[in-house]
Amino acid sequence: MKKDQNGIKMKIRTINDFIKTNQDPEILFWVGCAGAFDERYKKVTKAFVKILNKLKIDFAILGDEETCTGDPAKRAGNEYLFQVQALNNISTLNKYNIKKIVTMCPHCFNTIKNEYPELGGNYHILHHSEFLEELINEGKLISEKNNEKISYHDSCYLGRGNQIYEAPRNIIKSITNNLIEMKRSKENGLCCGAGGSQIFKESEEGKAEINIERINDVQAVEPKTVALACPFCMTMISDGIKEKNLDLKIKVKDITEIIADNLKD
């Protein structure tokens, strides 16, 4: 049992905790680098754990045994480092006979789902938008509904990369009757500017920053909240909102936070 900065108790167990008591978790929660280390995205991790705890879902994390999936290395062109990181993770997951994984990061999701199999890692993995949608459809996750104006930004690795467009939108629709689409959305969505390992390098010469271009799309529909489902997008969109001095007018939240903030008792 752990407590967050507000003193709220969170039940979090490692896979070893389950093994010691001869139990199996319902899911393995793959936290991801951002979910573990990025100060902003740690809040999303806590919101997700809040939901899991409320629904009494037995989940495990790898804890110190979880390392980077290797996605940034692969996108930057370092195939050797990617395979070293991937094989290390696959060895750990196979050691524990892990089958079902849920992750909040589309980059982790895409890598484990589409690139680990050829290295011997075959798992049933869900992005947290798919998992939360399942819980809503099963009647397990019920939220208070309002009329807040929300727009959703598509993550490239979730959308065009894996054709997951409706799950995050259905989650938002369970919260509000006022989901409004930006001009560039779904298959035609605009990248936040972080993909392909771009988030880790200086911007190349050009006429505009991609995230600022995206904020222009946000401004055009005037939402109260921009909803996201990716830590990379969270950083880029939040930075763009702040750069244009819109942070007092427009909130940036992960779909998990929107659900957690509106949970029915």
Side-chain angles (χ1 to χ4, degrees):
M1 191 75 73
K2 297 184 179 181
K3 292 184 179 181
D4 68 6
Q5 69 272 25
N6 297 316
I8 298 174
K9 292 182 179 180
M10 298 183 297
K11 185 179 180 182
I12 303 173
R13 300 170 66 192
T14 66
I15 188 66
N16 269 317
D17 292 333
F18 279 87
I19 289 173
K20 289 175 183 177
T21 55
N22 294 314
Q23 295 175 299
D24 291 316
E26 293 179 46
I27 60 168
L28 178 80
F29 172 28
W30 186 276
V31 180
C33 298
F37 300 111
D38 181 80
E39 288 303 320
R40 175 63 185 89
Y41 220 69
K42 283 181 187 177
K43 296 178 182 179
V44 181
T45 301
K46 291 171 183 176
F48 189 59
V49 170
K50 175 183 175 181
I51 293 170
L52 295 176
N53 284 172
K54 182 175 179 60
L55 299 184
K56 295 181 171 55
I57 294 173
D58 283 330
F59 72 96
I61 62 171
L62 288 175
D64 292 339
E65 292 185 272
E66 181 187 306
T67 64
C68 180
T69 61
D71 168 80
K74 188 175 183 69
R75 306 311 156 208
N78 193 333
E79 181 66 22
Y80 172 74
L81 179 57
F82 161 69
Q83 291 201 19
V84 168
Q85 293 178 306
L87 289 170
N88 179 63
N89 286 321
I90 290 168
S91 175
T92 300
L93 292 169
N94 288 350
K95 175 179 69 175
Y96 292 123
N97 197 30
I98 298 297
K99 298 300 182 184
K100 187 174 182 179
I101 304 171
V102 176
T103 183
M104 301 183 300
C105 178
H107 295 251
C108 296
F109 171 73
N110 179 71
T111 301
I112 295 173
K113 178 183 178 182
N114 298 319
E115 293 166 345
Y116 275 23
E118 65 181 18
L119 296 173
N122 295 282
Y123 317 104
H124 175 46
I125 181 163
L126 297 171
H127 182 257
H128 74 307
S129 62
E130 298 176 293
F131 182 69
L132 292 173
E133 182 189 36
E134 284 185 1
L135 295 175
I136 291 170
N137 291 341
E138 292 168 0
K140 297 177 181 177
L141 190 56
I142 303 172
S143 305
E144 299 283 355
K145 201 157 188 176
N146 56 53
N147 204 41
E148 181 177 343
K149 193 175 183 180
I150 299 177
S151 189
Y152 173 70
H153 165 79
D154 288 282
S155 159
C156 296
Y157 281 75
L158 192 62
R160 286 191 295 272
N162 288 281
Q163 291 74 55
I164 297 174
Y165 296 109
E166 298 308 320
R169 285 174 169 82
N170 288 337
I171 290 169
I172 296 168
K173 289 175 184 177
S174 76
I175 298 295
T176 181
N177 297 309
N178 204 358
L179 170 62
I180 184 165
E181 296 286 357
M182 286 182 266
K183 180 175 68 173
R184 289 179 279 194
S185 63
K186 297 187 179 180
E187 293 87 350
N188 298 313
L190 180 66
C191 177
C192 71
S197 214
Q198 293 293 309
I199 196 171
F200 301 110
K201 60 185 284 293
E202 293 297 324
S203 300
E204 296 169 16
E205 187 176 349
K207 295 181 179 179
E209 295 283 356
I210 295 178
N211 65 326
I212 299 301
E213 182 72 13
R214 189 53 165 162
I215 300 308
N216 291 335
D217 291 348
V218 173
Q219 282 186 283
V221 296
E222 299 182 331
K224 184 177 179 182
T225 299
V226 180
L228 312 162
C230 172
F232 285 65
C233 296
M234 174 70 78
T235 296
M236 300 301 286
I237 299 300
S238 295
D239 286 352
I241 289 287
K242 291 175 183 176
E243 188 166 332
K244 298 203 73 172
N245 296 313
L246 295 169
D247 46 312
L248 296 179
K249 184 179 179 181
I250 301 174
K251 295 177 291 186
V252 182
K253 289 186 175 184
D254 189 272
I255 53 173
T256 308
E257 295 175 301
I258 295 173
I259 286 285
D261 290 345
N262 291 276
L263 279 176
K264 278 190 175 182
D265 294 329

